[in-house]
Amino acid sequence: MVGDNMKKAKTGKSALGFVGIAIGVILLIVAVAYALSQPGVLETVATAAAVIILAVVGIVIIIGAVIALTAIPMYAYKGEQYQENVDYSLDDVKSVKESSSEDRKNE
């Protein structure tokens, strides 16, 4: 049941859009299947895909190595931060069981 202040909009245009997308995907699958069935196309596509994959893997390895090498001097320069003369105890921890954010506002 729809409330008094609620309106219901039609979804016909977006449904037609989804049908168009589905038809486009089906046509794309058919076109790819037809292209791959032609002699020599599958080998060309496989070769191109292998070259692209190797290039991407190589770039990722190079970027990872650069990040690792630049992290060492940054870590050495930055140093560590820590607190001195501070005492933490579990007795200072307050229980949050059966409390709400409203209870904490009143403290």
Side-chain angles (χ1 to χ4, degrees):
M1 184 171 157
V2 178
D4 294 336
N5 61 347
M6 300 294 289
K7 291 185 178 182
K8 190 173 184 181
K10 302 288 182 185
T11 56
K13 290 180 183 177
S14 58
L16 286 175
F18 285 133
V19 169
I21 291 171
I23 291 173
V25 168
I26 291 170
L27 290 175
L28 181 66
I29 291 171
V30 168
V32 168
Y34 174 75
L36 292 178
S37 68
Q38 300 301 313
V41 174
L42 183 60
E43 292 83 11
T44 305
V45 171
T47 304
V51 169
I52 291 170
I53 289 171
L54 287 175
V56 169
V57 168
I59 290 170
V60 167
I61 290 173
I62 292 170
I63 290 173
V66 169
I67 290 172
L69 290 175
T70 57
I72 296 169
M74 289 175 62
Y75 174 75
Y77 172 76
K78 211 171 176 185
E80 292 182 346
Q81 293 181 353
Y82 58 92
Q83 293 180 334
E84 290 183 321
N85 303 325
V86 178
D87 183 29
Y88 294 104
S89 172
L90 289 177
D91 296 332
D92 298 334
V93 178
K94 294 180 181 178
S95 173
V96 292
K97 184 178 177 185
E98 298 178 8
S99 66
S100 67
S101 59
E102 297 297 323
D103 295 338
R104 285 183 225 118
K105 287 181 184 176
N106 296 330
E107 290 180 356

